[in-house]
Amino acid sequence: MAEVIITESEDEAGRIYADCAANLIRTKPDCVLGLATGSSPLAAYQALAARVKDDGIDVSRVRGFALDEYAGLDPRHPQSYRSTIERTVIEPLGLDPAKVHVPNGNLETIADAGHEYDAAIEAAGGVDLQILGIGTDGHIGFNEPGSSLASGTRIKTLTERTRIDNARFFDGAIDQVPTHCITQGIGTILKARQLVLLAFGAGKAEAVAETVEGGISSFCPASALQLHPHATVIIDEAAASRLRNRDYYKWAYANKPSWQSI
Ligand code: GLP
């Protein structure tokens, strides 16, 4: 089962991720970070950027792979995931942009881009630490309900729910949100050595409960985390509100031995 940590704020959750990522970078300076877009990881990136600056951590050899990208959206578009990762991760952390990869959503080459992306991750030695958000329908990356739990990186069709959720990044206009994407598959994500899923707010409570305490089902793609040997779910009280074992998770974390890390 995933470890569940219930925090008081996104900032506290961000600091827990930052501790973990900073440790990784110190012990493995050319580590591979798995990166996600969306609002959920923002506090975590800010906390890591502050840690890198304050502690003078050398990130020059850190590599990164993002989860997904819209199909057919110019990578220079401000809401492309390439631009988003540049703005929220590469620049604040001071990573080398050449070492950070985002799936290529160019329609002319997209048919082969998935296999090539998985091959590039494998050639890099695999992802060490994958950060994840979760959609209100339980998607991770852009693996919508019904996604194969063994899938590799490939093209997917976005659900209307996801396009409505993401319209806020496109001036509220759902018709501006692309209909297709390229995303790491669930099988790709499960190969990462450690997964950290972040979720905040009541809107995520149902998806979180399904993920952690529901059955493993492609209908809630994030439930595949139950198959991973080292997954951590860091959420706030609102996102935890529908968990049946909430008190146990809190007790376990409050009484965690000092020799156990996340
Ligand atoms: C998008 C991204 C996901 C992200 C999700 C939730 O669909 N492809 O990777 O987890 O949005 O976003 P937010 O964290 O803003 O709620």
Side-chain angles (χ1 to χ4, degrees):
M1 194 197 85
E3 177 179 20
V4 179
I5 302 175
I6 301 169
T7 61
E8 283 185 359
S9 64
E10 293 190 33
D11 287 342
E12 188 189 347
R15 284 193 294 273
I16 296 171
Y17 166 81
D19 280 344
C20 182
N23 257 343
L24 172 67
I25 299 170
R26 275 198 207 94
T27 52
K28 187 177 177 187
D30 66 343
C31 64
V32 178
L33 297 179
L35 304 168
T37 56
S39 44
S40 308
L42 292 178
Y45 296 144
Q46 280 160 14
L48 181 57
R51 190 71 50 86
V52 164
K53 194 165 165 240
D54 294 348
D55 298 356
I57 301 172
D58 178 11
V59 295
S60 61
R61 294 169 61 202
V62 170
R63 296 166 292 163
F65 284 88
L67 285 172
D68 45 10
E69 178 59 286
Y70 290 111
L73 192 66
D74 190 320
R76 288 163 303 184
H77 187 289
Q79 294 310 329
S80 78
Y81 283 178
R82 176 78 223 176
S83 300
T84 306
I85 291 288
E86 274 169 15
R87 214 168 38 239
T88 59
V89 183
I90 297 177
E91 286 163 16
L93 265 71
L95 301 185
D96 176 355
K99 291 190 168 69
V100 180
H101 309 275
V102 178
N104 187 345
N106 184 329
L107 297 181
E108 284 169 23
T109 51
I110 202 165
D112 295 321
H115 294 298
E116 287 168 12
Y117 201 67
D118 283 341
I121 294 175
E122 214 161 308
V127 170
D128 290 299
L129 176 62
Q130 176 68 57
I131 194 169
L132 296 166
I134 184 170
T136 52
D137 60 3
H139 74 247
I140 47 176
F142 264 139
N143 293 281
E144 298 285 27
S147 293
S148 157
L149 301 185
S151 47
T153 302
R154 71 222 180 289
I155 304 162
K156 287 292 288 180
T157 308
L158 298 176
T159 61
E160 195 183 4
R161 171 78 265 155
T162 296
R163 293 181 66 231
I164 291 170
D165 285 349
N166 288 4
R168 67 190 196 278
F169 298 114
F170 293 84
D171 301 324
I174 184 174
D175 59 318
Q176 299 298 306
V177 184
T179 51
H180 292 77
C181 66
I182 174 166
T183 180
Q184 283 189 31
I186 307 283
T188 316
I189 293 169
L190 289 179
K191 284 185 190 157
R193 283 180 272 278
Q194 183 177 3
L195 305 178
V196 173
L197 185 142
L198 302 165
F200 309 106
K204 299 288 173 73
E206 195 180 336
V208 166
E210 278 296 310
T211 297
V212 178
E213 297 178 343
I216 298 174
S217 161
S218 64
F219 206 70
C220 176
S223 65
L225 261 70
Q226 295 178 36
L227 296 166
H228 197 281
H230 193 177
T232 310
V233 173
I234 312 179
I235 53 185
D236 64 2
E237 289 281 355
S241 59
R242 297 194 54 182
L243 289 173
R244 280 170 291 168
N245 260 355
R246 203 166 60 240
D247 293 343
Y248 167 69
Y249 307 136
K250 283 187 175 176
W251 192 92
Y253 188 63
N255 294 281
K256 194 167 167 140
S258 56
W259 41 262
Q260 222 182 5
S261 57
I262 75 155

